[in-house]
Amino acid sequence: VCLTCCSRDVMVRIDQLCHKNSIKFFTGDVFGYHGYMFADLGEHEFVEEKTKVAKANPGVEDGPDTKKAKLDPSETTMVKKRVVFCPLKEALAVEWSGEKGQAALRRTAPDYFLLQ
């Protein structure tokens, strides 16, 4: 489900229905030069390709470079990952006055408050 140009109450209500029924939800809007986008993908599983780290052969080389791990771009491995997204209502209900909230405030883009 994709929403745009909706009130906050409508977005929260539709996201709750989507989250309950395991339906992916996207919403967003633009205000001049600023905008926002929110995605609630529920429980989302995906595969990520990672480059394998080649181990250095001991005794072959001497010096500081032998201890560094070397990347072999020709060898990769697939890693399965899982992310659990929070509903819109939870994302908007952050408590900013606590210690965790103050730390999160420094990492939060000012555009987050457009939706508020």
Side-chain angles (χ1 to χ4, degrees):
V1 173
C2 296
L3 292 179
T4 186
C5 302
C6 292
S7 71
R8 179 178 165 162
D9 293 337
V10 170
M11 289 187 291
V12 168
R13 178 69 183 133
I14 292 176
D15 180 46
Q16 287 174 332
L17 292 170
C18 290
H19 195 84
K20 181 180 174 184
N21 294 296
S22 300
I23 298 171
K24 295 178 183 346
F25 173 81
F26 298 89
T27 187
D29 211 340
V30 178
F31 308 101
Y33 289 111
H34 297 280
Y36 69 89
M37 191 282 285
F38 178 82
D40 178 359
L41 304 179
E43 293 184 22
H44 182 68
E45 291 184 354
F46 61 98
V47 177
E48 185 175 77
E49 189 175 12
K50 294 271 189 174
T51 305
K52 284 189 178 180
V53 177
K55 295 181 180 178
N57 293 335
V60 175
E61 291 183 27
D62 250 353
D65 292 336
T66 56
K67 294 183 181 177
K68 292 182 182 177
K70 296 179 181 170
L71 297 178
D72 185 0
S74 63
E75 289 189 48
T76 60
T77 184
M78 302 304 267
V79 179
K80 187 175 181 179
K81 295 192 174 187
R82 181 175 168 264
V83 177
V84 179
F85 286 75
C86 74
L88 181 60
K89 188 174 184 176
E90 283 182 31
L92 295 173
V94 175
E95 180 60 46
W96 298 105
S97 61
E99 188 175 311
K100 281 186 174 182
Q102 293 296 321
L105 187 58
R106 286 183 230 117
R107 296 185 316 267
T108 303
D111 294 344
Y112 167 83
F113 299 99
L114 285 173
L115 184 55
Q116 297 287 19

